[in-house]
Amino acid sequence: MSILIVGGDRLGNIPDNLKSLGFTEIEHLSGRKIGHIAGDLPHEIDVVLVFTDYVNHGLAAKIKKDARKKGVRTIFARRSWAYIAKAWKGFING
């Protein structure tokens, strides 16, 4: 599975934790550059993880809209493994 992470400058151990959940390809956009809002989502993405405490509302809305168009599920969480794990649990159960 592949995941696109949007937001945050540093990811710490989050990529390692995501690998333990079965993600083999992990891409990251900091969300700080204007071009990140203008660009499209990569083609081969299964899940988008948006760090709500690191992106502005405009970028979050664009990511959500683009993900819906492509049929890609989106997870919104704070940049903390506890929040990500909780959102992931709700994601796979719902």
Side-chain angles (χ1 to χ4, degrees):
M1 283 194 306
S2 60
I3 188 167
L4 171 65
I5 302 169
V6 181
D9 293 325
R10 288 177 272 135
L11 299 178
N13 64 350
I14 291 172
D16 294 333
N17 292 337
L18 289 170
K19 286 178 184 176
S20 72
L21 294 177
F23 290 100
T24 56
E25 295 179 34
I26 300 170
E27 294 186 44
H28 177 238
L29 293 175
S30 68
R32 289 190 182 268
K33 296 182 180 178
I34 301 277
H36 291 172
I37 296 174
D40 288 333
L41 294 177
H43 294 291
E44 299 296 325
I45 294 295
D46 298 312
V47 178
V48 177
L49 171 61
V50 179
F51 291 143
T52 56
D53 48 346
Y54 283 88
V55 298
N56 65 42
H57 182 75
L59 179 57
K62 180 167 184 344
I63 295 285
K64 185 176 182 179
K65 178 182 171 186
D66 290 350
R68 280 187 180 168
K69 280 184 185 177
K70 293 187 176 194
V72 176
R73 296 191 56 194
T74 308
I75 301 172
F76 293 92
R78 296 182 68 180
R79 191 188 66 101
S80 163
W81 185 249
Y83 287 99
I84 296 167
K86 183 178 179 181
W88 177 251
K89 189 180 270 188
F91 178 80
I92 59 172
N93 292 332

